[in-house]
Amino acid sequence: MVLESPNLDDRDFQSLVDEAKRLVQQRCPEWTDHNVSDPGVTLIEAFAQMVDQVIYRLNRVPDRHYLAFLDLLGVRPFPPTAARGTTTFWLSAAQPAPVLVRAETEVATARTDTDEAIVFSTAEDLSIVPCSLAELATWDGVTETSRTAQRAAGEPVECFSDPPRVGDAVLFGLSDAVPSCAVLLRLDCPVGGAGIDPRDPPLVWEAWTGTDWTRCDVDRDHTGGLNRPGDVVLHVPAKHTLSAKARARGGWLRCRVIENSTGRAYRTSPQIRSVQAMTIGGTVDVVNAETVHDEMLGRSDGAPGQRFALGHAPVLPWEHQGLLDVVTESRVQTWTPVHDFAASGPDDRHYRLDRSGGTVEFGPMVRRPDGSTRQFGAIPAKDSRLRLSAYRIGGGRRGNVARGTIRVLKTSVPYVARVENRHPAIGGIDGETMPEVRLRGPLELRAGGRAVTADDFEELARQVAPDAARVRCVPAGPGAADVGNVRLVVVPWVPADEHGRLAYQDISRPPDDLLRRIAEHLEPRRLVGTRLIVGPPDYVGVTVVARVSRAPGAQDATQLRELLLQLLYRYLSPLDGGPEGTGWPFGRSLPAFELAGLLADAPGVAAVEEVLLFPVRLQDGRRGDQPVSRLDLAPHALVHSHLHQVRVQ
């Protein structure tokens, strides 16, 4: 990568001439003729021309120096990372045989007049396994009772105890395990489970994964809490497995009674007259990247320090990165990638992959002070051919797309009718720019690979997780038991909707892989006696209720309302909000008058009549009864918007 030249001295020819004339006026006031025809001015311009050439050469020198210093420090630009997410493949109808969606099947967002399609590929094979209902059972908290014979006889099955208790469950045994599949349960339920709110039934759907019950995502539930005929579509977790329940073997799902936020519970048990099960889709991980297979790089000339350019650059980090094969007439040798050649001996088949530049490099031969030489890493034999089995390209922040935007199937798959991403794709970042590398270099040198100060923890976390949007190191807590503990809060990249609104369930759950990478990287670098806690920040929910007057001649009330809503959501965003536009500051309180000033400065607003702040419990969206004039935040907390309301008069 070519380094941009820094301007150590940004003066140009004209500024040098002007500065010389100002000095002439101060030190030689009797010289009054400063026209270009004056011989003195001619001399000034001649010297200015020569100094300008010297400055030009001065500004070219740091190009090589910066590159050399960064290499000595081991500081290399971070390549882009690819956004990752999940996509559900929906079948046109339930199939009698498994449907295979192969790895690297391509899906994409819709192409528009202004934006190209963003292409994703599946990260692994997905098998959509057919199933049917084989067993039915109930659980009263103590005993599992089979209801299969009762169902076969056409008798209604009581789902829970009478009256139902928290923990009661009805179990559905599928004919086969259906990991990562979407299962349709077609239930015929009479009206009978009285006492609940059918819009918020106190039920949770779970799947048995061999060791415990794991919650299923419910795509839709038309039964109103098992109180009317309808369909339930469940997304089964990837670890679903066959197991024995109620003396029968099957892939078990269950519907369990829980306590919900409304406090309304079943007074009588619902019933099931009949039930059918079928597989209608499956979900698989997708990545915003393209995989290049078996690329030939060229032939070795047998010299140390060889470099071979890849056909594509930059190269994305990938846990399944292909290895380098060195092909000779007699055999194929597999070489191992290393970060550097410091520990490589002359017989070690090592190579280094420069992801940013897209090159494969072999070890150099270094001359020692005594005149001898040492080879760091082996060199492929002369005329041997080099082949990289696989690598990924693409990525970037553009791949962070919102939920529901991936809906184009680019690779044809039999029996698949449509695709859909039910969650946003996150984790994509652009490659690091050279100004960013220049800032990071001194920080890495100061940290020295050890986490001592809060800045050290943050910088080391960014090194291993550049796909994190924000990282902040704070004390773990005020108690005596928390002394010496460090809390590192991580905010992931999450795409916003058209209003700038971020879904709480997305931003409050950083990917497990992201948190694991940070924890594993910092654990050996922390001080002895320091306990590290890595997780998301605390989010304080707020709903802004505002009333404004429209200025004469401004856009209509609907357009102005949409503009003000976007303004509120973006200003209070944890990612790019706040006064500086870099995300709402950690621990910064939110006063109501600040938002009043924000709305008053918006075009089309004549006056702000009222601004109210309501605290919100984000887990269930329940809003406080009384407004507050100021919302206070803890040092590790961020504000999060929840359904703002703006009225335009």
Side-chain angles (χ1 to χ4, degrees):
M1 177 178 291
V2 177
L3 292 174
E4 298 177 4
S5 301
N7 280 327
L8 300 181
D9 191 336
D10 59 358
R11 293 176 296 177
D12 57 11
F13 168 79
Q14 190 59 48
S15 63
L16 291 169
V17 172
D18 295 340
E19 183 178 356
K21 290 182 177 179
R22 284 193 297 271
L23 292 175
V24 167
Q25 294 175 356
Q26 297 174 8
R27 300 180 181 180
C28 189
E30 60 272 14
W31 183 4
T32 58
D33 187 4
H34 297 161
N35 295 315
V36 294
S37 58
D38 187 82
V41 174
T42 302
L43 289 175
I44 289 176
E45 291 181 344
F47 282 110
Q49 179 69 24
M50 290 187 288
V51 173
D52 184 49
Q53 293 297 320
V54 172
I55 291 175
Y56 174 80
R57 298 305 306 170
L58 176 66
N59 285 334
R60 302 279 79 73
V61 170
D63 234 17
R64 291 194 301 272
H65 288 182
Y66 254 110
L67 185 60
F69 288 142
L70 292 176
D71 281 341
L72 288 173
L73 294 173
V75 179
R76 301 181 180 94
F78 289 133
T81 61
R84 304 182 71 95
T86 59
T87 296
T88 301
F89 290 75
W90 297 102
L91 300 179
S92 55
Q95 300 299 316
V99 175
L100 179 62
V101 180
R102 297 190 179 277
E104 300 183 27
T105 297
E106 291 188 343
V107 295
T109 61
R111 181 180 178 181
T112 65
D113 294 338
T114 56
D115 297 321
E116 291 291 332
I118 303 173
V119 180
F120 291 76
S121 59
T122 56
E124 57 189 1
D125 290 344
L126 168 68
S127 180
I128 304 178
V129 182
C131 72
S132 60
L133 187 71
E135 303 289 338
L136 187 64
T138 57
W139 165 260
D140 60 3
V142 178
T143 306
E144 294 172 346
T145 305
S146 176
R147 305 293 183 180
T148 303
Q150 186 177 347
R151 166 180 167 263
E155 300 176 8
V157 175
E158 297 283 341
C159 298
F160 312 122
S161 304
D162 190 17
R165 300 185 299 268
V166 173
D168 288 351
V170 56
L171 286 74
F172 304 87
L174 305 181
S175 58
D176 202 349
V178 286
S180 302
C181 291
V183 174
L184 168 66
L185 295 178
R186 184 155 289 163
L187 301 168
D188 184 6
C189 302
V191 177
I196 67 165
D197 182 358
R199 297 168 299 181
D200 186 19
L203 300 174
V204 62
W205 290 86
E206 298 168 318
W208 181 253
T209 59
T211 56
D212 56 8
W213 291 96
T214 302
R215 190 162 185 165
C216 299
D217 287 342
V218 181
D219 194 274
R220 61 177 181 270
D221 184 352
H222 295 159
T223 66
L226 305 179
N227 268 321
R228 59 174 177 262
D231 295 342
V232 178
V233 176
L234 306 175
H235 294 276
V236 182
K239 295 183 179 180
H240 188 229
T241 185
L242 290 172
S243 184
K245 300 286 181 185
R247 299 182 179 180
R249 187 170 177 81
W252 288 95
L253 308 174
R254 77 176 183 181
C255 180
R256 180 170 57 91
V257 179
I258 60 172
E259 293 182 359
N260 65 357
S261 58
T262 63
R264 300 176 63 176
Y266 283 104
R267 294 195 300 269
T268 58
S269 173
Q271 297 180 341
I272 295 178
R273 285 192 293 238
S274 65
V275 57
Q276 293 177 299
M278 61 195 77
T279 306
I280 60 172
T283 302
V284 66
D285 291 340
V286 294
V287 59
N288 175 219
E290 177 186 351
T291 305
V292 180
H293 293 281
D294 295 328
E295 181 174 298
M296 300 302 298
L297 307 183
R299 290 181 178 270
S300 171
D301 61 6
Q306 295 179 77
R307 294 190 178 190
F308 296 86
L310 301 179
H312 307 273
V315 179
L316 298 177
W318 185 22
E319 60 273 17
H320 303 298
Q321 181 74 54
L323 299 179
L324 181 71
D325 294 330
V326 177
V327 184
T328 62
E329 294 181 357
S330 58
R331 57 180 176 173
V332 177
Q333 294 178 335
T334 300
W335 291 49
T336 305
V338 293
H339 184 264
D340 55 53
F341 299 103
S344 300
D347 298 324
D348 295 329
R349 293 196 292 267
H350 293 167
Y351 72 96
R352 191 177 80 86
L353 177 61
D354 181 2
R355 299 186 182 277
S356 297
T359 59
V360 168
E361 304 172 358
F362 293 97
M365 179 178 290
V366 177
R367 186 176 298 277
R368 296 175 174 178
D370 60 1
S372 62
T373 60
R374 179 188 171 184
Q375 176 64 45
F376 289 85
I379 300 299
K382 187 176 181 180
D383 292 332
S384 58
R385 291 173 295 152
L386 308 181
R387 179 182 64 207
L388 191 60
S389 57
Y391 65 94
R392 277 181 173 172
I393 58 173
R397 191 175 299 181
R398 184 168 173 261
N400 297 328
V401 298
R403 64 182 68 204
T405 55
I406 301 176
R407 53 181 186 269
V408 178
L409 181 63
K410 293 182 68 67
T411 303
S412 178
V413 181
Y415 310 112
V416 172
R418 61 186 180 90
V419 295
E420 173 193 19
N421 64 316
R422 298 179 295 108
H423 302 285
I426 62 176
I429 62 169
D430 297 329
E432 193 175 29
T433 63
M434 293 317 301
E436 293 170 342
V437 179
R438 291 193 191 100
L439 292 175
R440 182 164 59 88
L443 294 176
E444 286 198 13
L445 183 62
R446 183 189 64 187
R450 293 291 180 266
V452 180
T453 67
D455 290 341
D456 295 342
F457 278 96
E458 295 173 5
E459 181 57 35
L460 291 173
R462 293 190 189 97
Q463 290 178 20
V464 71
D467 47 335
R470 300 177 67 187
V471 178
R472 179 67 180 267
C473 182
V474 296
D482 298 316
V483 174
N485 294 348
V486 172
R487 180 176 180 182
L488 197 72
V489 293
V490 181
V491 182
W493 282 111
V494 175
D497 62 11
E498 63 275 8
H499 294 294
R501 183 168 48 201
L502 300 171
Y504 171 70
Q505 61 268 31
D506 297 331
I507 198 168
S508 63
R509 299 175 184 173
D512 293 337
D513 173 68
L514 176 66
L515 301 181
R516 177 185 55 79
R517 272 186 286 139
I518 294 176
E520 291 179 353
H521 185 69
L522 291 178
E523 183 64 24
R525 293 166 172 81
R526 63 176 175 81
L527 293 177
V528 176
T530 301
R531 179 170 173 261
L532 178 65
I533 304 170
V534 182
D538 293 338
Y539 290 95
V540 178
V542 61
T543 291
V544 179
V545 178
R547 182 163 51 89
V548 303
S549 298
R550 184 168 61 97
Q555 63 264 48
D556 61 61
T558 301
Q559 292 179 340
L560 182 57
R561 176 180 174 275
E562 293 296 318
L563 173 65
L564 297 180
L565 284 175
Q566 291 181 9
L567 194 62
L568 288 173
Y569 282 117
R570 296 191 186 280
Y571 186 70
L572 299 178
S573 169
L575 299 183
D576 53 7
E580 304 296 330
T582 57
W584 189 262
F586 284 92
R588 185 179 187 273
S589 300
L590 174 63
F593 67 81
E594 181 176 338
L595 297 181
L598 177 73
L599 298 177
D601 292 338
V605 175
V608 177
E609 307 293 343
E610 185 179 42
V611 173
L612 302 177
L613 302 182
F614 289 89
V616 176
R617 192 169 65 184
L618 293 170
Q619 288 75 10
D620 55 14
R622 181 171 294 182
R623 194 174 82 177
D625 296 330
Q626 298 296 326
V628 296
S629 60
R630 181 187 184 91
L631 197 67
D632 293 322
L633 277 70
H636 52 270
L638 291 172
V639 69
H640 183 81
S641 298
H642 180 77
L643 299 178
H644 300 317
Q645 301 173 21
V646 175
R647 180 183 175 186
V648 179
Q649 296 182 160

